[in-house]
Structures are given as structure tokens and as C-alpha cells.
Amino acid sequence: MTTSAVFDAPAPTARTSSDFEADVVVVDHRDEADGVVGLQLSLPDGAALPSWTPGAHIDVELPNGLTRQYSLCGDPSDSTRWRLGVLREIDGRGGSRWLADELTVGTTLRIRGPRNNFPLQPAVRYVFLAGGIGITPLLPMIRAAEAAGADWVLHYGGRTRASMAFLTELSEYGQRVRICPQDETGLLDLDAALGAPAADTLVYCCGPTGLLDAVAARCADWPSGALRVERFTAAPVVPDGAETGFEVVCERSGLTVTVTPEQSILRAVEDAGIDVLSSCTEGICGTCETTVLEGEPDHRDSLLTDDEKAAGDTMMICVSRCRGPRLVLDL
């Protein structure tokens, strides 16, 4: 009988928002690859930061008013520093360029978290698949899998070798790591990487949408739950009917709010004066996850599993709606 690897690690950080919010200081800022910088953050007094588990991310408030999520990619056992890897996005809205080009050691940032939407579950074997900056959440997973004595392999693709971050760090794992720059080897060979479905194997994938979609297609015949992905952008959702309005009863606040076809639940309750934590507004970060007390959610996020959506007891109110006239939420 096979058994899962045993992890000597803290319990997984809850997906729901942590109360921890603080100013941190940039204590290290370095180039990790072409277009990728590594940041290390500490509390100003050097005190211990909250514990976290592989797959966790934090929210970073940017000077342009936006909040963005970045995976923690350092060592969870280091309680005094958090490491991030940031891709300088040329066509982005300026946040990553500021972090890459303007940020300096000694700068203070406001952060919130950690939160884990992408936890590493125990398994006998892992296939890790990374595309570009998607390597960041997988780094601590690899460390944990190695420490647990699990069988694992990483297939890491990127545009060029020079654009692929943390290669020196990964070289310590030898043949378990397959580096696949597109200009040298072409796109990742997913058929070879995944092979036949295996009941004792979990597949973890992070990267651009094209990679995630291709991996999902090849894992269609794998056991349910074998594939775990983290998205940078929300998956497209096509409504199955005309958009309609509905009522949201905010149980704790004692308010009933009408959500128009043009509004999100998040915007409607905020307009009614209810303070809700939110961040991405795309259904991928989990900050606005809310408990459903009554009613049927119309899930449009890229975060909940199929089983969680079917249960209908929680929803991301930034994008999801209602399949009826009324929802009762724990707000």
C-alpha cells in the first residue's frame, strides 16, 4: 500500500483573509533574471512575521492605489523575512515596473496576508509545471516535497534561459529539475512531462493562461482533484443567461441591498456602507470570500474547486452572482 509523504510544517494558512496587515521594509532588492527582481521584506523592528505554508501569497499596496498579489517564494522556516519574485510587466498598469525599477532597499510597503489559495497537499509523487514567473509559488513546494522524501519532478519553461529566475537555486536539485527555455527546446512537452494518469500523483501548475489550459486538457482523464493550478488572470466566464438583478441580505449588518445587472455584489454592498476586504476584483485572490447562508451562488471565480462551488457555502463577491432572486450572506 502506498502512503503519502509526511509534512512537518504548520497547518495550511486559511484561504480567508488574515487579520495581519503591516508596514514592512525592503531589506533586499536584486535581479533574479532578465525582467525579474527578487525582494525580501522584514518588519521594521525585525520581529517575527506570521507563519505561512507553500503556495501562500500576500497583498502588496502600490503607490498608484492598486493592490497586487505576489507569491511568497522563500523559506517558510525563516520567520523574519518574506521573499517575493516580481516580473516587470511592460504592458501592465505600472505596479510591477515601480517595484522593479523604483523600489530601493529601505523603502516601506504596506502588505496584508498571508493567504493560501494554492496549498500543497501530501502525495507520494508530484509533477510541478512552471511557466515563467509561475515558478515562484512552486519553489517552497519543491523544498517541502524534498524534505518530506516525496518523489517529484519540475518542468520549468520560459522564453529564454536568461529570463528564467532562480536557476542557480534550482540547480541544487540536479536531474529532478528540467529547464526548458523555449528558444532552445520549444514549448514544454506536456505529454512527456505528465505521462499516464496516476492515482498517487498530484500535478501543480502555475504560469500563463495558455500553459494552464493545455495542462488542464491533458489532465482531463486524471483522477478528480489531481490537478491544482494558480492563475495570474481570471479564466473567461460566459454567463448562461441574461444578467438580472437580485437582492442580497447582509445578515450581520441587518441591511438588504439590491444588486443591479451592471453591479457586482462587492460594489453594491460597499455602496451601502458595508466595509469588505477586497483586492483583485477578478475572482482569483480570495480576499473577498464570503460565507453564503441562504440562496444559490452563480460562481464566476477562478479559485474555488468544482466541489466547493457545488457546496455553495462560500463565494467570491467581486465576480460571482446569484442564480435566483435572493442571497443571504454573512456580511
Side-chain angles (χ1 to χ4, degrees), residues 15-16 115 117 264-266 280-292 297-305 308-309 313-321 329:
R15 180 170 58 216
T16 52
R115 185 180 301 109
N117 305 327
S264 67
I265 297 174
L266 176 64
C280 73
T281 68
E282 296 180 357
I284 58 174
C285 77
T287 306
C288 69
E289 185 172 7
T290 301
T291 299
V292 178
D298 177 5
H299 294 289
R300 302 186 182 186
D301 64 274
S302 300
L303 185 57
L304 295 175
T305 66
E308 289 170 331
K309 289 179 179 179
D313 53 12
T314 187
M315 67 187 298
M316 307 302 161
I317 63 172
C318 64
V319 292
S320 297
R321 300 184 67 79
L329 301 181

Side-chain angles (χ1 to χ4, degrees), residues 3 5 17 35 44 47 49 89 99 108 121 138-139 175 193-194 207 211-212 229 247 258 308 315 320 329:
T3 58
S17 178
L49 290 157
E89 297 183 81
L99 290 171
T108 298
Q121 300 295 338
L138 302 186
L139 288 173
Q175 295 303 308
L194 292 165
L211 173 64
L212 299 184
V229 303
E247 284 188 344
T258 298
E308 289 170 331
M315 67 187 298
S320 297
L329 301 181

Side-chain angles (χ1 to χ4, degrees), residues 7-8 43 51 71 78 83 116 130 220 226 242 247 258 296 306 321 325:
F7 289 86
D8 183 15
L43 290 171
S51 62
S71 296
D78 185 349
R83 185 176 70 166
N116 200 337
E247 284 188 344
T258 298
E296 183 182 2
D306 289 343
R321 300 184 67 79

Side-chain angles (χ1 to χ4, degrees), residues 29 70 86-103:
H29 182 286
Y70 294 99
V86 178
L87 172 67
R88 186 183 189 278
E89 297 183 81
I90 303 300
D91 299 325
R93 286 180 279 182
S96 67
R97 291 198 301 274
W98 182 79
L99 290 171
D101 300 339
E102 306 296 330
L103 197 69

